[in-house]
Coordinates of all heavy atoms in Angstrom, one line a residue:
K232 N -243.7 18.6 182.1 CA -243.7 17.7 183.2 C -243.1 18.4 184.5 O -242.3 19.3 184.4 CB -242.7 16.5 182.9 CG -243.3 15.7 181.8 CD -242.3 14.6 181.4 CE -242.8 13.8 180.2 NZ -241.9 12.9 179.7
L233 N -243.7 18.0 185.6 CA -243.3 18.6 186.9 C -242.6 17.5 187.7 O -243.2 16.4 187.9 CB -244.5 19.1 187.7 CG -244.2 19.7 189.1 CD1 -243.3 20.9 189.0 CD2 -245.5 20.0 189.8
Y234 N -241.4 17.7 188.2 CA -240.7 16.8 189.0 C -240.4 17.3 190.4 O -240.2 18.5 190.6 CB -239.3 16.5 188.4 CG -239.3 15.8 187.0 CD1 -239.4 16.6 185.9 CD2 -239.2 14.5 186.9 CE1 -239.4 16.0 184.6 CE2 -239.2 13.9 185.7 CZ -239.3 14.6 184.5 OH -239.3 14.0 183.3
D235 N -240.4 16.4 191.4 CA -240.0 16.7 192.7 C -238.5 16.5 192.8 O -238.0 15.4 192.7 CB -240.7 15.8 193.8 CG -240.3 16.2 195.2 OD1 -239.4 17.0 195.4 OD2 -240.9 15.7 196.1
S236 N -237.7 17.6 192.8 CA -236.3 17.5 192.8 C -235.6 17.8 194.1 O -234.5 18.1 194.2 CB -235.7 18.6 191.8 OG -236.1 18.3 190.5
T237 N -236.4 17.6 195.2 CA -235.9 17.8 196.5 C -234.7 16.9 196.8 O -233.7 17.3 197.4 CB -237.0 17.6 197.6 OG1 -238.1 18.5 197.3 CG2 -236.5 17.9 199.0
G238 N -234.8 15.6 196.4 CA -233.8 14.6 196.7 C -232.7 14.6 195.7 O -231.7 13.9 195.8
G239 N -232.9 15.3 194.6 CA -231.9 15.3 193.5 C -232.6 15.9 192.2 O -233.8 15.9 192.1
F240 N -231.8 16.3 191.2 CA -232.3 16.9 190.0 C -233.2 15.8 189.3 O -232.8 14.7 189.1 CB -231.2 17.4 189.1 CG -231.7 18.1 187.9 CD1 -232.3 19.3 188.1 CD2 -231.5 17.6 186.7 CE1 -232.8 20.0 187.0 CE2 -232.0 18.3 185.6 CZ -232.6 19.5 185.7
L241 N -234.4 16.3 188.8 CA -235.3 15.5 188.1 C -235.6 14.1 188.7 O -235.3 13.1 188.2 CB -234.8 15.2 186.6 CG -234.8 16.4 185.7 CD1 -234.4 16.0 184.3 CD2 -236.1 17.1 185.7
G242 N -236.2 14.2 189.9 CA -236.6 13.0 190.6 C -237.5 12.2 189.6 O -238.3 12.7 189.0
M243 N -237.3 10.9 189.6 CA -238.1 10.1 188.6 C -239.2 9.3 189.4 O -238.9 8.9 190.5 CB -237.2 9.1 187.9 CG -236.2 9.8 187.0 SD -237.1 10.6 185.6 CE -235.7 11.5 184.9
P244 N -240.3 9.1 188.8 CA -240.9 9.6 187.6 C -241.4 11.0 187.9 O -241.5 11.4 189.0 CB -242.0 8.7 187.2 CG -242.5 8.2 188.6 CD -241.2 8.1 189.4
P245 N -241.9 11.7 186.8 CA -242.5 13.1 187.1 C -243.8 12.9 188.0 O -244.5 11.9 187.9 CB -242.9 13.6 185.7 CG -242.9 12.4 184.8 CD -242.0 11.4 185.4
I246 N -244.0 13.9 188.9 CA -245.2 13.8 189.7 C -246.5 14.2 189.0 O -247.6 13.8 189.4 CB -245.0 14.5 191.1 CG1 -244.6 16.0 190.8 CG2 -244.0 13.9 191.9 CD1 -244.5 16.8 192.1
Y247 N -246.3 15.1 188.0 CA -247.5 15.5 187.1 C -246.9 15.7 185.7 O -245.8 16.1 185.5 CB -248.1 16.7 187.7 CG -248.7 16.6 189.0 CD1 -248.0 17.0 190.1 CD2 -249.9 15.9 189.2 CE1 -248.5 16.8 191.4 CE2 -250.5 15.7 190.4 CZ -249.8 16.1 191.5 OH -250.3 15.9 192.8
A248 N -247.8 15.4 184.7 CA -247.4 15.6 183.4 C -248.6 16.0 182.6 O -249.7 15.6 182.8 CB -246.8 14.4 182.8
S249 N -248.4 16.9 181.6 CA -249.4 17.3 180.6 C -248.8 17.0 179.2 O -247.8 17.5 178.8 CB -249.7 18.8 180.7 OG -250.7 19.2 179.8
E250 N -249.4 16.0 178.5 CA -248.9 15.5 177.3 C -249.9 15.3 176.2 O -250.0 14.3 175.5 CB -248.2 14.1 177.6 CG -247.2 14.2 178.6 CD -246.6 12.8 179.0 OE1 -247.4 11.9 179.3 OE2 -245.4 12.7 179.1
S251 N -250.7 16.4 175.9 CA -251.7 16.4 174.9 C -251.0 16.4 173.5 O -250.0 17.0 173.3 CB -252.6 17.6 175.0 OG -253.4 17.7 173.9
T252 N -251.6 15.7 172.6 CA -251.1 15.7 171.2 C -252.0 16.5 170.3 O -251.6 16.7 169.1 CB -251.0 14.3 170.7 OG1 -252.3 13.6 170.7 CG2 -250.0 13.4 171.5
A253 N -253.1 17.0 170.8 CA -254.1 17.7 169.9 C -254.0 19.2 169.9 O -254.5 19.8 169.0 CB -255.5 17.3 170.3
Y254 N -253.4 19.8 171.0 CA -253.4 21.2 171.1 C -252.0 21.8 171.3 O -251.1 21.1 171.5 CB -254.3 21.6 172.3 CG -255.7 21.1 172.2 CD1 -256.1 20.0 173.0 CD2 -256.6 21.6 171.4 CE1 -257.4 19.5 172.9 CE2 -257.9 21.1 171.3 CZ -258.3 20.0 172.1 OH -259.5 19.5 172.0
N255 N -252.0 23.2 171.2 CA -250.7 23.9 171.4 C -250.7 24.5 172.8 O -250.2 25.6 173.0 CB -250.5 24.9 170.3 CG -251.5 26.0 170.4 OD1 -252.7 25.8 170.7 ND2 -251.1 27.2 170.0
L256 N -251.2 23.7 173.8 CA -251.3 24.2 175.2 C -251.1 22.9 176.1 O -251.7 21.9 175.9 CB -252.6 24.8 175.5 CG -253.0 25.0 176.9 CD1 -252.2 26.1 177.5 CD2 -254.5 25.3 177.1
E257 N -250.2 23.1 177.1 CA -250.1 22.1 178.1 C -250.2 22.9 179.4 O -249.8 24.0 179.6 CB -248.7 21.4 178.1 CG -248.4 20.7 176.8 CD -249.3 19.5 176.6 OE1 -250.0 19.0 177.5 OE2 -249.2 18.9 175.4
H258 N -250.9 22.2 180.4 CA -251.2 23.0 181.7 C -251.1 22.0 182.8 O -251.7 20.9 182.8 CB -252.6 23.5 181.5 CG -253.0 24.4 182.7 ND1 -253.8 23.9 183.7 CD2 -252.7 25.6 183.1 CE1 -254.0 24.8 184.6 NE2 -253.3 25.9 184.3
I259 N -250.5 22.4 183.9 CA -250.5 21.7 185.2 C -251.0 22.6 186.2 O -250.5 23.7 186.4 CB -249.0 21.2 185.5 CG1 -248.6 20.1 184.5 CG2 -249.0 20.6 186.9 CD1 -247.1 19.7 184.7
Y260 N -251.9 22.2 187.0 CA -252.4 23.0 188.1 C -252.4 22.0 189.4 O -253.1 21.0 189.4 CB -253.8 23.5 187.9 CG -254.4 24.3 189.0 CD1 -254.0 25.6 189.2 CD2 -255.3 23.7 189.9 CE1 -254.5 26.3 190.3 CE2 -255.8 24.4 191.0 CZ -255.4 25.7 191.2 OH -255.9 26.5 192.2
Q261 N -251.6 22.4 190.3 CA -251.5 21.6 191.5 C -251.4 22.5 192.7 O -250.6 23.4 192.8 CB -250.3 20.6 191.4 CG -250.1 19.7 192.6 CD -251.3 18.8 192.8 OE1 -251.8 18.3 191.9 NE2 -251.7 18.6 194.0
T262 N -252.2 22.2 193.8 CA -252.1 22.9 195.0 C -251.6 22.1 196.1 O -251.6 20.8 196.0 CB -253.5 23.5 195.4 OG1 -254.4 22.4 195.5 CG2 -254.0 24.5 194.3
N263 N -251.2 22.7 197.2 CA -250.8 22.0 198.4 C -249.6 21.1 198.2 O -249.6 20.0 198.8 CB -252.0 21.3 199.1 CG -253.1 22.2 199.4 OD1 -252.9 23.3 199.8 ND2 -254.3 21.8 199.2
L264 N -248.7 21.4 197.4 CA -247.4 20.6 197.3 C -246.6 20.9 198.6 O -246.6 22.0 199.1 CB -246.6 21.1 196.1 CG -247.2 20.7 194.7 CD1 -246.3 21.4 193.6 CD2 -247.1 19.2 194.5
P265 N -246.0 19.8 199.0 CA -245.1 20.0 200.2 C -243.9 20.9 199.9 O -243.5 21.0 198.7 CB -244.7 18.6 200.6 CG -244.9 17.8 199.4 CD -246.0 18.4 198.6
A266 N -243.4 21.6 200.9 CA -242.2 22.4 200.7 C -241.1 21.5 200.1 O -240.9 20.4 200.4 CB -241.7 23.0 202.0
G267 N -240.4 22.1 199.1 CA -239.3 21.4 198.5 C -238.8 22.1 197.3 O -239.1 23.2 197.0
T268 N -238.0 21.4 196.5 CA -237.5 21.9 195.2 C -238.2 21.1 194.1 O -238.2 19.9 194.1 CB -235.9 21.6 195.1 OG1 -235.3 22.3 196.3 CG2 -235.4 22.2 193.9
Y269 N -238.7 21.9 193.1 CA -239.4 21.3 192.0 C -238.8 21.8 190.7 O -238.2 22.8 190.6 CB -240.9 21.7 192.0 CG -241.5 21.1 193.2 CD1 -241.6 21.8 194.4 CD2 -242.1 19.8 193.2 CE1 -242.2 21.3 195.6 CE2 -242.7 19.3 194.3 CZ -242.7 20.0 195.5 OH -243.3 19.5 196.6
T270 N -238.9 20.9 189.6 CA -238.3 21.2 188.3 C -239.4 21.1 187.3 O -240.2 20.1 187.3 CB -237.2 20.3 188.0 OG1 -236.2 20.4 189.0 CG2 -236.6 20.6 186.6
L271 N -239.6 22.1 186.4 CA -240.4 21.9 185.2 C -239.6 21.5 184.0 O -238.5 22.1 183.8 CB -241.1 23.3 184.9 CG -242.2 23.7 185.9 CD1 -242.6 25.1 185.6 CD2 -243.4 22.8 185.8
E272 N -240.1 20.6 183.2 CA -239.4 20.1 182.0 C -240.3 20.3 180.8 O -241.4 20.0 180.8 CB -239.0 18.7 182.1 CG -238.3 18.1 180.9 CD -238.2 16.6 180.9 OE1 -239.1 15.9 181.3 OE2 -237.1 16.2 180.4
V273 N -239.7 20.9 179.8 CA -240.4 21.1 178.5 C -239.6 20.2 177.5 O -238.4 20.3 177.4 CB -240.4 22.5 178.0 CG1 -241.0 22.6 176.6 CG2 -241.1 23.4 179.0
S274 N -240.4 19.3 176.8 CA -239.7 18.5 175.8 C -240.6 18.5 174.6 O -241.8 18.7 174.7 CB -239.5 17.1 176.3 OG -240.7 16.5 176.7
G275 N -240.1 18.1 173.4 CA -240.9 18.1 172.2 C -240.3 17.2 171.1 O -239.2 16.8 171.2
D276 N -241.1 17.0 170.1 CA -240.7 16.2 169.0 C -239.9 16.9 167.9 O -239.1 16.3 167.2 CB -241.9 15.5 168.3 CG -242.9 16.6 167.8 OD1 -242.8 17.7 168.1 OD2 -243.8 16.1 167.0
I277 N -240.0 18.3 167.8 CA -239.3 19.1 166.9 C -238.9 20.4 167.6 O -239.6 20.8 168.6 CB -240.0 19.4 165.6 CG1 -241.3 20.1 165.9 CG2 -240.2 18.1 164.8 CD1 -242.1 20.6 164.6
P278 N -237.9 21.1 167.2 CA -237.6 22.4 167.8 C -238.8 23.4 167.6 O -239.4 23.4 166.5 CB -236.4 22.9 167.0 CG -235.8 21.7 166.5 CD -236.9 20.7 166.2
A279 N -239.1 24.1 168.6 CA -240.2 25.1 168.5 C -240.0 26.2 169.6 O -239.5 25.9 170.7 CB -241.5 24.4 168.8
N280 N -240.4 27.4 169.2 CA -240.4 28.5 170.2 C -241.6 28.3 171.0 O -242.7 28.0 170.5 CB -240.5 29.9 169.5 CG -239.2 30.1 168.7 OD1 -238.1 29.8 169.1 ND2 -239.3 30.8 167.5
F281 N -241.5 28.6 172.3 CA -242.6 28.4 173.2 C -242.6 29.5 174.3 O -241.6 30.2 174.5 CB -242.7 27.0 173.8 CG -241.4 26.7 174.6 CD1 -241.3 27.0 176.0 CD2 -240.4 26.0 174.1 CE1 -240.2 26.7 176.7 CE2 -239.2 25.7 174.8 CZ -239.2 26.0 176.1
A282 N -243.7 29.6 175.1 CA -243.7 30.5 176.2 C -244.1 29.6 177.4 O -245.0 28.7 177.3 CB -244.8 31.6 176.0
L283 N -243.5 29.8 178.5 CA -243.7 29.0 179.7 C -244.0 30.0 180.9 O -243.2 31.0 181.1 CB -242.5 28.2 180.1 CG -242.5 27.3 181.4 CD1 -243.6 26.3 181.2 CD2 -241.2 26.7 181.6
S284 N -245.1 29.8 181.6 CA -245.3 30.7 182.7 C -245.7 29.8 183.9 O -246.3 28.7 183.8 CB -246.5 31.7 182.4 OG -247.7 31.0 182.2
W285 N -245.5 30.3 185.1 CA -245.9 29.6 186.3 C -246.2 30.6 187.4 O -245.8 31.7 187.4 CB -244.8 28.6 186.7 CG -243.5 29.3 187.1 CD1 -243.1 29.7 188.4 CD2 -242.4 29.6 186.3 NE1 -241.9 30.2 188.4 CE2 -241.4 30.2 187.1 CE3 -242.2 29.5 184.9 CZ2 -240.2 30.6 186.6 CZ3 -241.0 29.9 184.4 CH2 -240.0 30.5 185.2
R286 N -246.9 30.1 188.4 CA -247.2 30.9 189.6 C -247.0 30.1 190.8 O -247.4 28.9 190.8 CB -248.7 31.4 189.5 CG -249.1 32.2 190.7 CD -250.5 32.7 190.6 NE -250.8 33.4 191.8 CZ -251.9 33.1 192.6 NH1 -252.7 32.2 192.2 NH2 -252.1 33.8 193.6
V287 N -246.3 30.6 191.8 CA -246.0 29.9 193.0 C -246.6 30.7 194.2 O -246.4 31.9 194.3 CB -244.5 29.7 193.2 CG1 -244.2 29.1 194.5 CG2 -243.9 29.0 192.1
S288 N -247.4 30.1 194.9 CA -248.0 30.7 196.1 C -247.3 30.1 197.3 O -247.2 28.9 197.4 CB -249.5 30.6 196.2 OG -250.1 31.2 195.2
T289 N -246.9 30.9 198.3 CA -246.3 30.4 199.5 C -247.1 30.8 200.7 O -247.8 31.8 200.6 CB -244.8 30.8 199.7 OG1 -244.8 32.3 199.7 CG2 -243.9 30.3 198.5
V290 N -247.0 30.0 201.7 CA -247.7 30.4 202.9 C -246.9 31.4 203.6 O -245.7 31.3 203.8 CB -247.9 29.1 203.8 CG1 -248.6 29.5 205.2 CG2 -248.7 28.1 203.1
T291 N -247.6 32.5 204.0 CA -246.9 33.6 204.8 C -246.9 33.2 206.2 O -247.9 33.0 206.8 CB -247.7 34.9 204.5 OG1 -247.7 35.2 203.1 CG2 -247.0 36.1 205.2
V292 N -245.7 33.3 206.8 CA -245.6 33.0 208.2 C -245.8 34.3 209.0 O -245.2 35.3 208.7 CB -244.1 32.5 208.5 CG1 -244.0 32.2 210.0 CG2 -243.8 31.2 207.7
P293 N -246.8 34.2 209.9 CA -247.1 35.5 210.7 C -245.9 35.9 211.5 O -245.1 35.2 211.9 CB -248.2 35.1 211.6 CG -248.3 33.6 211.6 CD -247.5 33.1 210.4
E294 N -245.8 37.3 211.7 CA -244.7 37.9 212.5 C -244.9 37.4 213.9 O -246.0 37.2 214.4 CB -244.8 39.4 212.4 CG -244.4 39.9 211.0 CD -243.0 39.8 210.7 OE1 -242.1 39.8 211.6 OE2 -242.7 39.7 209.5
P295 N -243.8 37.3 214.6 CA -243.9 36.9 216.0 C -244.6 38.1 216.8 O -244.5 39.2 216.4 CB -242.4 36.8 216.5 CG -241.6 37.0 215.3 CD -242.4 37.4 214.2
P296 N -245.4 37.7 217.8 CA -246.1 38.7 218.6 C -245.3 39.8 219.1 O -245.7 41.0 219.2 CB -246.8 37.9 219.7 CG -246.7 36.5 219.3 CD -245.6 36.4 218.3
G297 N -244.0 39.6 219.5 CA -243.1 40.6 220.0 C -242.9 41.8 219.0 O -242.9 43.0 219.4
V298 N -242.8 41.5 217.8 CA -242.6 42.5 216.8 C -243.9 43.4 216.7 O -243.8 44.6 216.6 CB -242.3 41.9 215.4 CG1 -242.2 43.0 214.3 CG2 -240.9 41.2 215.5
L299 N -245.0 42.8 216.7 CA -246.3 43.5 216.6 C -246.4 44.4 217.8 O -246.9 45.6 217.7 CB -247.5 42.6 216.5 CG -247.5 41.7 215.2 CD1 -248.7 40.8 215.3 CD2 -247.6 42.6 214.0
T300 N -246.0 43.9 219.0 CA -246.1 44.8 220.2 C -245.2 46.0 220.1 O -245.6 47.1 220.5 CB -245.7 43.9 221.5 OG1 -246.6 42.8 221.5 CG2 -245.8 44.7 222.7
L301 N -244.0 45.8 219.6 CA -243.1 46.9 219.4 C -243.6 47.9 218.4 O -243.5 49.1 218.7 CB -241.7 46.4 219.0 CG -240.9 45.6 220.0 CD1 -239.6 45.1 219.4 CD2 -240.6 46.5 221.2
I302 N -244.2 47.5 217.4 CA -244.8 48.4 216.4 C -245.9 49.2 217.1 O -246.0 50.4 216.9 CB -245.3 47.6 215.2 CG1 -244.1 47.0 214.4 CG2 -246.2 48.5 214.3 CD1 -244.5 46.1 213.3
G303 N -246.8 48.5 217.8 CA -247.9 49.2 218.6 C -247.4 50.2 219.5 O -247.9 51.3 219.6
I304 N -246.3 49.9 220.3 CA -245.7 50.9 221.2 C -245.2 52.1 220.5 O -245.3 53.2 220.9 CB -244.6 50.2 222.1 CG1 -245.3 49.2 223.0 CG2 -243.8 51.2 222.8 CD1 -244.3 48.3 223.8
G305 N -244.5 51.8 219.3 CA -243.9 52.9 218.5 C -245.0 53.8 218.0 O -244.8 55.1 218.1
I306 N -246.1 53.3 217.6 CA -247.2 54.1 217.1 C -247.8 54.9 218.2 O -248.1 56.1 218.1 CB -248.3 53.3 216.4 CG1 -247.7 52.7 215.1 CG2 -249.5 54.1 216.1 CD1 -248.6 51.7 214.4

Side-chain angles (χ1 to χ4, degrees):
K232 296 176 184 172
L233 177 66
Y234 294 89
D235 182 351
S236 296
T237 302
F240 186 67
L241 291 184
M243 295 293 172
I246 54 176
Y247 297 98
S249 179
E250 303 173 313
S251 171
T252 58
Y254 303 105
N255 62 330
L256 167 72
E257 300 293 352
H258 183 258
I259 294 174
Y260 179 79
Q261 182 58 42
T262 59
N263 300 322
L264 288 171
T268 302
Y269 295 90
T270 303
L271 287 170
E272 176 190 38
V273 175
S274 60
D276 59 346
I277 59 173
N280 293 325
F281 61 85
L283 178 66
S284 65
W285 64 92
R286 179 174 178 238
V287 177
S288 295
T289 57
V290 176
T291 304
V292 178
E294 292 290 330
V298 172
L299 296 176
T300 302
L301 291 175
I302 292 171
I304 291 171
I306 291 171

